[in-house]
Amino acid sequence: MEGLADRVRRFLTGEAVYFPISLIDLGQCSGFQRRVLLAEYGIPRGRVSTYGRLAAGLGAPGATRAVGTALARNPFPIIIPCHRTVRSNGDPGGFRGGAAMKRALLGLEGVELTPAGKVPARFFC
């Protein structure tokens, strides 16, 4: 079986890599964070969602900031690709590794930003 390090290396070269959720232990996360991370895990490669859409999908439409906090504390940022969630206006928003890294990770997945630095609507799921 291919190791995690090999998968991460391939991912960082732009290859489409599947990371089984079984590679990680979500037991260290709170119940809410676990729900957020599993919802995030479901966003397909090359697509994005918003903090608000994730919150609404969890049945907590007022929890946009809490979703952002849960993603900011994501202990598995490549396996659970928190770079795939952006602000509702298409702005990439924050990222633990910095805004430039978030833009680079989105670019590796084929998400092209507009000249104004926003994610176009065609990438939203």
Side-chain angles (χ1 to χ4, degrees):
M1 182 171 142
E2 180 182 37
L4 178 59
D6 291 328
R7 288 175 197 252
V8 170
R9 180 188 48 74
R10 289 180 30 236
F11 172 84
L12 293 174
T13 63
E15 198 173 321
V17 177
Y18 171 69
F19 292 98
I21 199 75
S22 61
L23 291 173
I24 59 175
D25 177 13
L26 291 170
Q28 64 184 296
C29 303
S30 71
F32 179 77
Q33 185 184 32
R34 195 170 20 257
R35 290 176 52 218
V36 170
L37 294 178
L38 289 172
E40 183 75 14
Y41 182 77
I43 300 171
R45 175 184 170 80
R47 303 299 297 267
V48 300
S49 188
T50 68
Y51 300 100
R53 284 182 185 176
L54 280 181
L58 295 171
T64 300
R65 286 186 183 267
V67 165
T69 299
L71 292 175
R73 295 180 179 155
N74 176 5
F76 315 103
I78 298 295
I79 297 167
I80 296 181
C82 52
H83 60 274
R84 293 181 187 159
T85 294
V86 300
R87 294 180 179 153
S88 60
N89 68 357
D91 186 281
F95 188 69
R96 180 183 287 175
M101 181 179 286
K102 185 170 188 173
R103 289 190 302 272
L105 290 170
L106 288 169
L108 282 174
E109 296 187 4
V111 176
E112 303 164 356
L113 303 182
T114 67
K118 308 272 184 169
V119 176
R122 71 180 182 273
F123 293 106
F124 283 76
C125 59

